[in-house]
Amino acid sequence: MRIRRGTLWTVGAVLSIAYLLTFFITPAILNLVDPILWIACIASAVILYKLGYDYRWIKFSSGLSFLAIFTLLYDFFLISIGAHGIARGVAFLLTPLLATAAGGFLYEKIQSFKRTREARKGIVSLTRRIRTTLYELDPLLWVFIVFGSSFLIVFLVSPILFVLVNAFRAPSGGAWYSNFQRIFSAREYVRLETLPGEQFAFAVQLGNETLYVIKGLNYGALVNSLILSLFVTSAATAIGIIMAFILARYSFPGKDFLRILSLVPLFVTPFVNSYVVKILFSEYGPISLVTQSLFGWKLRLDGLVGVALAQIISFYPIVYLNAYSAFLNVDPSTEEQAENLGARGFTLFRSVTFPLALPGIVAGAIIVYIFSLEDVGAPLIFQEWNLMSAQIFRGFMTQTGIVSPESAALGIVMLFIAVMGFLAIRNYVGMRSYAMISRGGRLVSRARPLGPLGKLVVYLIVFPLVLLTAFPQIGVFLLAFNVMPSRGFEINLGSFTLDYFERLFTDPGVFTYIRNTLIYAALSVILAVVVAVMVGYGVSRIRVSWLSNLLDTLATVPIAIPGLVIALGYYYFFTTIFSGTPLDPASIGAFQAWVVLVVSYSVRKLPYVVRSVYAGFQQVHVGLEEAALNLGATRAKVVFGVVLPFILSYIFSGAVLGFIYMATEVSTSITIGNFNPSQAPMTYYMMNVYKGGSPIGVQIAAAMGVLLIFIQLVAMLIVVGVLKQRYAFIGV
C-alpha cells in the first residue's frame, strides 16, 4: 500500500493544532499532553512506514531533506530552552518529517551493515585479518602510526575531554548539571522575549540630522549565536552561489577583474577588516553620505547586525570558491541531456546543475557555519558581548587567571552545535547520489555571453556589491598609510606616511609581537609537517580501512572544532597536567605561553598541511615502493630516499599554507596569549588595540594587517608560480 507524500504534513498539522489548542484553551493539562504529542511524532513515522510511505521522497528531495536537518537543530534548541507557544507548534508540524527521515536513514544504514557482514562472512576470518594487519605494519609504520595518533590523542582529544570534565564541575551545592542548566535557562543566555523599549532599529536626532541605528534584537547569547550562524551561513551561501554561477557560466568584459576582486576578502587581517566595516556603515561612513544626500538621513549598523554584516563579507568567498570549482566540474553532458529534454534556465539549474554541485557548495557552507559560530573578531569590534564566542573569550580575560566551569560548559555547547551541524549537513550530502559520467574536462566551455539585461545586473549590482566586500581590505591599506583617519571616514592623500610601517620594526614593544608570530609559526610548521608526513603516509599506504579512516579523521577533525573550544581544552589540560610548572597558564608571570601556542597552532592548522602532503603521497604509485623493497631497501630507505624526494614540492606547499594560517590564527592566540602578553603574537596586539576602542595604535595594527596580507600574497605566488600547484584557500 502506497500513501501520498502530503500525508506527512497532514499528520504534522494535526499534532500542531492539537498542541496549540491545548496551549491556548486548556494550558492546565499542557504538561500531560506535550510528552504524548512528542511520542506521537515518533510513532507516526513507524505507522507511515508500515502503511507504505516511501522514504526516498525525502531522501531525493533537496528541500525536504534539508528541512529535516533544520528541524533537528530547531527541535534540540526548542526543547533545551523550554520554549512553548507558536514556536513549539511549528516543531510539532515539522517533527514527523524529521522522524520519518531519521528512521529511513537508520534503516538504510542497518541494512547496509547487514549486507556488508554477509558479504564478509566466510571469506576472511578475523584471525587472518589481524595477522594481515600486523604483517603490513613494519617497525617504521608502527612508529608513524603510534607517534602520529598519540600526538593527536594527547593534544586534541585529551584537551576536549578535560573541557567536558570541567563542564560538569558544579558550583557549591549545585547539581552536576548545574552549569548546563544555567546556560539553557538563564536570561543572559536564553531570552525568548524582548525587553520593554528594545527595538530592532531606532532613530536618533543628531542636531538637525536623523540617524537610524540598526542593531538587532537580543535573545540571549545562546539563541543569538544560533540565529547569527544560521543567517550568516544562509546569506554567505546565497551570495557565493550567485557569484560562482555568474563567473562559471557567463562571459563578459571585466570577468577576470571581478574574479580577482571577489578573492580579496579571503586575505586574513584579524580585527582590522571588521573595524573598517564598522567605519563604512557608521554615521561618518560613505554609506551614510549617500543616504544623507539622497534621503536626508544617516545610517549606522551596530550590534548583532554589524557582526552579521562583517562575517558575511569575510566568509562568502569561501562558499564562492567551493561553488565555482563545483560548477566547473559538473559533467557538461548531463546539462546537455537535460537541455535536449527541454530544461532551460532556472529549471536546468535547480534540477541538474545545483544538485551535482551540491557537495562543493555544502563544503563551503559548513566551514562558514563553524567560523561564524566561533568568530571573536567581529563581536569585539562591534562590542557585542551577547554571543557564545564573546562570553567564552570574556571567561579568559580574568585577573586571577582562572577560567570558570561555566565557560567550559558553554564551550561544550558550542562544540556540540558545531559538530552536530557539521555531521548533519555532511550526512545530508553523503546520503544522496552525485555520480556523473565524466568529471570536468569539457572541450568546449559552457560559458556563454551575457545579454544586455544580464550585463546591466552585473555592472550595476554585482560589481558594486563585490567592490563593497573588498573595501575592508582596501581600508586596511588606507589606515596603515594614514590616508584614512582612525576615526570617521575621510580620504586625504596628503597625510600619506610610512611611519607606521617603520614603527613595526623599530619600536621594540611592537616588533616583539611580529617576531613572536614568525617564530611560533615556523616552529609549528616544522612540527605539523612531521606529523603530516606520518599521518599522510599511514593513511595512503595502510590497507586496513578502519585504521586509515581513524588516522584520517583525527588529522582532519580540527577544522570542525571551534578554536575557542581548543583554547579552553589547552587551558584545562595544561593547568591540570602541568600544575605549578612554567607550562601552567595559572602561573602568572612564569607561564611559557610560546610552548602552548606552538602546539596549539600545529594541531589546529594540521588539516591544511596534511591535505597537501597526502595529495603528494597519492601521486607516488605504491608499485615504486614495492620495487625498492623487493630490491632489499628498508622501509626507512624507501620513505626517506625514494618517496619523500618525489613529494618535496607538496610538503613545501603544505608548509607554506600552514605557516600562513598559523600566523593569522586568532582564537588560541588571544586567549592563551592573554596569560603572558610578552610572549603573545600579533593578533593579540591587534585585539588589544581594537578592543579598547582607542585610536592609539589603530594605524600600527593596520600596518600589521598589511604585513599579513603581504605574507599571504607571497605564499600564493610561491605555491602557484614556483611550485605550480593550486593555492588552497580555506575549505577549497
Side-chain angles (χ1 to χ4, degrees):
M1 174 183 177
R2 283 175 64 91
I3 56 177
R4 295 182 299 106
R5 301 183 190 185
T7 307
L8 199 65
W9 298 112
T10 303
V11 173
V14 169
L15 295 174
S16 179
I17 292 171
Y19 167 80
L20 292 174
L21 289 175
T22 305
F23 179 79
F24 288 110
I25 299 175
T26 56
I29 62 170
L30 188 63
N31 291 334
L32 175 64
V33 173
D34 189 67
I36 294 175
L37 292 176
W38 285 114
I39 294 172
C41 288
I42 299 173
S44 65
V46 178
I47 295 171
L48 287 172
Y49 276 124
K50 292 294 184 181
L51 294 176
Y53 186 86
D54 194 345
Y55 157 70
R56 290 173 296 182
W57 283 336
I58 300 175
K59 177 179 178 179
F60 295 110
S61 168
S62 299
L64 290 179
S65 52
F66 201 84
L67 186 60
I69 294 171
F70 170 79
T71 306
L72 175 65
L73 297 172
Y74 183 81
D75 284 359
F76 170 76
F77 284 100
L78 188 98
I79 295 171
S80 299
I81 65 180
H84 281 279
I86 295 177
R88 211 172 188 90
V90 173
F92 284 119
L93 174 66
L94 298 175
T95 302
L97 169 67
L98 172 62
T100 306
F105 178 71
L106 291 175
Y107 178 77
E108 284 194 347
K109 288 294 183 183
I110 292 171
Q111 293 301 312
S112 176
F113 177 73
K114 287 181 178 179
R115 287 193 297 269
T116 303
R117 284 190 61 186
E118 289 295 327
R120 288 181 176 178
K121 189 178 296 183
I123 298 177
V124 181
S125 66
L126 177 62
T127 305
R128 186 175 178 181
R129 282 198 302 239
I130 293 174
R131 277 204 300 259
T132 303
T133 301
L134 294 176
Y135 175 77
E136 286 190 8
L137 301 178
D138 56 35
L140 186 63
L141 278 175
W142 272 113
V143 171
F144 280 9
I145 292 171
V146 171
F147 182 84
S149 57
S150 297
F151 178 82
L152 291 168
I153 290 171
V154 171
F155 293 113
L156 177 64
V157 179
S158 296
I160 293 175
L161 292 178
F162 271 91
V163 178
L164 183 63
V165 170
N166 281 275
F168 288 102
R169 283 175 49 203
S172 179
W176 59 272
Y177 54 83
S178 296
N179 294 320
F180 291 97
Q181 184 182 41
R182 171 170 162 72
I183 289 172
F184 287 111
S185 60
R187 288 177 63 82
E188 64 185 274
Y189 292 113
V190 176
R191 185 153 56 87
L192 301 181
E193 72 284 343
T194 58
L195 295 176
E198 187 177 16
Q199 296 175 309
F200 182 85
F202 54 90
V204 177
Q205 287 297 132
L206 299 176
N208 296 326
E209 298 176 339
T210 301
L211 170 65
Y212 288 99
V213 181
I214 304 177
K215 295 187 65 174
L217 298 174
N218 175 26
Y219 291 102
L222 179 59
V223 179
N224 288 346
S225 295
L226 183 63
I227 294 174
L228 177 71
S229 59
L230 291 175
F231 177 77
V232 169
T233 302
S234 302
T237 301
I239 296 173
I241 291 173
I242 293 171
M243 284 292 304
F245 190 76
I246 289 174
L247 290 172
R249 289 291 187 268
Y250 296 100
S251 58
F252 49 88
K255 176 180 176 178
D256 291 336
F257 177 67
L258 181 63
R259 183 163 56 233
I260 294 172
L261 201 62
S262 64
L263 298 179
V264 172
L266 281 173
F267 288 102
V268 182
T269 53
F271 302 102
V272 194
N273 57 336
S274 296
Y275 184 79
V276 176
V277 171
K278 186 174 183 178
I279 292 176
L280 288 177
F281 290 89
S282 69
E283 57 267 38
Y284 310 107
I287 306 300
S288 285
L289 293 178
V290 173
T291 58
Q292 185 180 29
S293 61
L294 293 177
F295 310 110
W297 46 263
K298 293 185 175 182
L299 179 69
R300 182 206 298 167
L301 301 185
D302 209 348
L304 288 168
V305 174
V307 172
L309 180 66
Q311 290 184 352
I312 292 169
I313 290 175
S314 299
F315 299 152
Y316 91 85
I318 298 174
V319 181
Y320 151 68
L321 277 178
N322 282 272
Y324 180 73
S325 178
F327 285 137
L328 289 181
N329 286 327
V330 169
D331 181 5
S333 65
T334 57
E335 294 181 316
E336 291 165 359
Q337 291 169 19
E339 288 174 340
N340 291 336
L341 293 172
R344 292 289 188 277
F346 183 72
T347 301
L348 176 65
F349 174 80
R350 178 185 59 81
S351 59
V352 178
T353 308
F354 178 75
L356 291 176
L358 194 59
I361 294 170
V362 169
I366 290 172
I367 295 173
V368 171
Y369 171 77
I370 295 171
F371 281 12
S372 173
L373 196 63
E374 69 152 357
D375 180 42
V376 182
L380 290 185
I381 294 299
F382 285 92
Q383 296 292 297
E384 181 53 68
W385 298 103
N386 295 305
L387 291 167
M388 284 196 295
S389 57
Q391 290 295 321
I392 293 174
F393 172 74
R394 262 186 166 176
F396 280 95
M397 308 300 287
T398 60
Q399 297 295 325
T400 60
I402 298 174
V403 179
S404 69
E406 187 174 311
S407 294
L410 195 58
I412 292 297
V413 173
M414 175 185 282
L415 176 64
F416 180 79
I417 295 171
V419 172
M420 187 168 67
F422 176 83
L423 293 177
I425 297 175
R426 191 182 71 172
N427 285 333
Y428 160 66
V429 174
M431 71 184 191
R432 299 161 63 81
S433 176
Y434 303 91
M436 292 179 280
I437 297 173
S438 64
R439 186 175 181 269
R442 57 177 61 92
L443 295 176
V444 180
S445 174
R446 284 187 60 82
R448 53 186 181 274
L450 270 178
L453 182 60
K455 288 180 179 179
L456 198 66
V457 171
V458 166
Y459 294 132
L460 294 184
I461 299 177
V462 177
F463 258 101
L465 176 64
V466 175
L467 186 62
L468 180 65
T469 62
F471 194 84
Q473 268 64 26
I474 299 172
V476 173
F477 283 84
L478 297 179
L479 277 174
F481 290 109
N482 202 40
V483 175
M484 187 171 74
S486 58
R487 286 286 184 271
F489 180 83
E490 181 183 352
I491 305 299
N492 184 6
L493 297 177
S495 62
F496 177 89
T497 180
L498 295 174
D499 290 348
Y500 298 109
F501 289 96
E502 182 180 347
R503 288 184 62 181
L504 290 182
F505 303 99
T506 58
D507 187 338
V510 176
F511 181 71
T512 297
Y513 296 100
I514 299 176
R515 182 196 62 202
N516 290 347
T517 297
L518 298 178
I519 292 174
Y520 299 165
L523 293 175
S524 302
V525 160
I526 294 172
L527 182 57
V529 165
V530 171
V531 177
V533 168
M534 294 180 174
V535 172
Y537 187 78
V539 171
S540 63
R541 294 298 184 264
I542 296 173
R543 286 174 293 200
V544 183
S545 58
W546 67 267
L547 187 56
S548 60
N549 288 338
L550 177 63
L551 279 174
D552 184 49
T553 301
L554 284 174
T556 55
V557 76
I559 200 172
I561 301 176
L564 287 170
V565 177
I566 293 179
L568 280 168
Y570 275 57
Y571 170 82
Y572 287 115
F573 178 79
F574 282 95
T575 54
T576 304
I577 303 299
F578 299 95
S579 178
T581 70
L583 293 180
D584 181 2
S587 301
I588 299 176
F591 174 51
Q592 298 299 305
W594 70 273
V595 177
V596 181
L597 288 171
V598 166
V599 174
S600 67
Y601 290 171
S602 62
V603 171
R604 181 114 201 273
K605 305 304 179 181
L606 181 64
Y608 307 114
V609 185
V610 166
R611 177 175 178 171
S612 181
V613 174
Y614 177 68
F617 282 124
Q618 286 183 312
Q619 297 299 313
V620 180
H621 197 281
V622 69
L624 190 64
E625 298 177 53
E626 292 172 348
L629 290 170
N630 291 336
L631 291 172
T634 62
R635 177 71 73 172
K637 180 66 175 176
V638 169
V639 173
F640 298 106
V642 178
V643 180
L644 288 187
F646 277 104
I647 67 167
L648 280 178
S649 62
Y650 289 92
I651 294 175
F652 188 68
S653 175
V656 171
L657 296 176
F659 183 88
I660 293 303
Y661 293 129
M662 292 167 187
T664 56
E665 206 281 337
V666 174
S667 300
T668 54
S669 297
I670 64 177
T671 49
I672 301 299
N674 176 63
F675 294 105
N676 190 346
S678 65
Q679 296 183 5
M682 275 195 289
T683 48
Y684 177 81
Y685 174 85
M686 298 165 80
M687 179 271 297
N688 270 342
V689 168
Y690 292 105
K691 180 172 72 74
S694 170
I696 301 174
V698 168
Q699 280 91 349
I700 297 176
M704 283 185 174
V706 172
L707 178 62
L708 290 175
I709 291 177
F710 177 75
I711 293 173
Q712 293 170 74
L713 195 57
V714 170
M716 182 188 298
L717 294 175
I718 291 174
V719 173
V720 177
V722 179
L723 301 177
K724 305 299 181 184
Q725 295 183 24
R726 181 182 176 189
Y727 186 87
F729 281 106
I730 294 174
V732 181

